[in-house]
Amino acid sequence: MKKILLLGANGQIGHELRRSLSAQGTIIPANRTGLLPEGTPCEVADFDHPEYLPALLERHRPGIVVNAAAFTAVDRAEEYVDAACRANAEAPALLAGYCSEHGIPLIHYSSDYVFDGTGDRPYREEDPASPLGVYGASKRAGEVAILESGAPGVILRTSWVYGAYGSNFLLTMLRQARASAELRVVSDQRGTPTPAQLIADVTAEIVAAHPDTQGILHLAAGGETSWHGFAEAILAGAHRRGLIPRLPRVLPVTSSDYPARASRPAYSRLDTGKLEALLGRPMPAWETGLEAVLDHIPPDLPLDSM
Ligand SMILES: NC(=O)c1ccc[n+]([C@@H]2O[C@H](COP(=O)([O-])OP(=O)(O)OC[C@H]3O[C@@H](n4cnc5c(N)ncnc54)[C@H](OP(=O)(O)O)[C@@H]3O)[C@@H](O)[C@H]2O)c1
C-alpha cells in the first residue's frame, strides 16, 4: 500500500480526504496539534514552522503528499500577512521541493480568490491571476512555487468550500437561523459553493485513475449563485428537514453594506471543462451537492461552538 502523507487532516477537505483516500493507501494524517478530532494521536505539521517539515517527510518517505492545510481566514490574512504567506506559500514550496527531488506527486489545493473577479465568463486555469487580498496573493505564491519546483502532481483550485463538518458558511447560516428571524447576506458576489466531500472524492479519483495529471485544474460544483442565493437554498433545505425551527427572511445586502477587511472577487466561478474532460462527466450542480450535505446533518448537531 502507498503511504499518503495528509497535511491539514482536521480541515473541511482534510476531514473528507481521510475517508476518500483510505482505499488508495495508508494515510498518515498530520495537523497542527498532533491530535485528530476523535482524540487519536497523529503527526504534527505546523506550517508556522516549515523548517520541521523535511524531518517529517524523511521519517515517513511517503508515496504521495496531499496538502489540505492552509491559512484560510481571508480577513485575518490582511493582518497576519507573514503567517498567511508561511502557510500558503513557504510551506507548500518546501513540500514541493522535497516532492520534486524525490519524484513524489504533490496534491495541493488553491482558490478562486487568485482572481480579481472582473471577468464575465467562468475563469479558466490559464487566465491571469490578479488577487485582491493577502489570502489570494499567498495562495497564488504557493501555486507559482509548486509549478516552478517541477514537482509531479496537481493543484486543484476550488471555491466556496462547505460541508457538514468544520467551519463554513452553511453551518454559520444554520446557527444564525436558529438565533434570528432575519438575516442579511451579500448578494453582489457570485461563485460556486462546492462541498468538501466532492473535492475529496474527485481527489481520490485522480489519485486512483489519473495519477499522471499535472499542473492546475479547476474543481468546483456546477452552476453559480450569490452568497444570498446560497443562503436561501441552505435555509429552505434545512427547514424542510427540520434542522431549523422557522424559515428566516434573508435580506440581500451589498458588499459595501457589509464591510470586511479583505476585498473579495465579485465573480469567481471556475470553468471546470478540463477536469470534466479528464473524468468524462460533468460536475454535479451546486444545488445537488447542497441537498447531499444537508442530508448528512443530524437534527441535533450542536452549532453554538462552531
Ligand atoms: N474554505 C474555502 O472556501 C476554500 C475555497 C477555495 C479554496 N480553498 C482551499 O482548500 C484547501 C482546504 O481548505 P478548507 O476549506 O478545508 O480549510 P479549513 O477547513 O480552514 O482547513 C484548513 C486546515 O489548515 C490548517 N492550518 C491552518 N494554519 C495552519 C498552519 N500554520 N500549519 C498547519 N496547518 C494549518 C487548519 O488547522 P486547524 O484545524 O488547527 O486550524 C485547518 O485544519 C486550502 O488550500 C484552501 O486554501 C478553500
Side-chain angles (χ1 to χ4, degrees), residues 13 17 66-68 107-111 139 155-156 158 199 203:
I13 297 179
L17 285 168
V66 181
N67 178 30
I107 298 188
H108 177 80
Y109 299 91
S110 190
S111 166
K139 292 299 293 182
I155 297 170
L156 298 168
T158 188
I199 299 165
T203 303

Side-chain angles (χ1 to χ4, degrees), residues 10-13 32 45-48 68-70 72 87 109-112 135 139 158-161:
N10 279 19
Q12 299 186 81
I13 297 179
R32 263 201 282 216
D46 184 348
F47 285 10
D48 273 326
T72 55
Y109 299 91
S110 190
S111 166
D112 54 335
Y135 169 73
K139 292 299 293 182
T158 188
S159 68
W160 296 24
V161 180

Side-chain angles (χ1 to χ4, degrees), residues 49-55 57 89-100 106 145:
H49 297 283
E51 66 275 15
Y52 294 120
L53 292 173
L57 290 156
E90 281 176 42
L94 211 145
L95 296 173
Y98 181 91
C99 288
S100 167
L106 170 64

Side-chain angles (χ1 to χ4, degrees), residues 63-126:
I64 308 181
V65 176
V66 181
N67 178 30
F71 190 117
T72 55
V74 176
D75 290 316
R76 286 185 67 228
E78 297 295 314
E79 191 179 345
Y80 298 97
V81 178
D82 289 349
C85 292
R86 266 195 306 275
N88 295 346
E90 281 176 42
L94 211 145
L95 296 173
Y98 181 91
C99 288
S100 167
E101 197 182 320
H102 294 83
I104 300 167
L106 170 64
I107 298 188
H108 177 80
Y109 299 91
S110 190
S111 166
D112 54 335
Y113 283 16
V114 301
F115 297 117
D116 63 13
T118 56
D120 55 7
R121 56 151 175 80
Y123 282 97
R124 299 181 189 130
E125 286 81 352
E126 58 279 10

Side-chain angles (χ1 to χ4, degrees), residues 133-204:
V134 171
Y135 169 73
S138 65
K139 292 299 293 182
R140 177 59 187 161
E143 290 182 354
V144 170
I146 292 170
L147 294 173
E148 285 180 350
S149 76
V154 67
I155 297 170
L156 298 168
R157 266 195 206 134
T158 188
S159 68
W160 296 24
V161 180
Y162 72 100
Y165 170 90
S167 168
N168 60 60
F169 181 81
L170 178 141
L171 296 173
T172 300
M173 286 300 106
L174 295 187
R175 186 177 57 240
Q176 291 189 2
R178 285 182 187 176
S180 167
E182 190 172 276
L183 311 183
R184 293 154 61 82
V185 181
V186 168
S187 61
D188 60 358
Q189 291 168 27
R190 296 187 71 76
T192 310
T194 304
Q197 186 178 340
L198 173 70
I199 299 165
D201 288 344
V202 169
T203 303

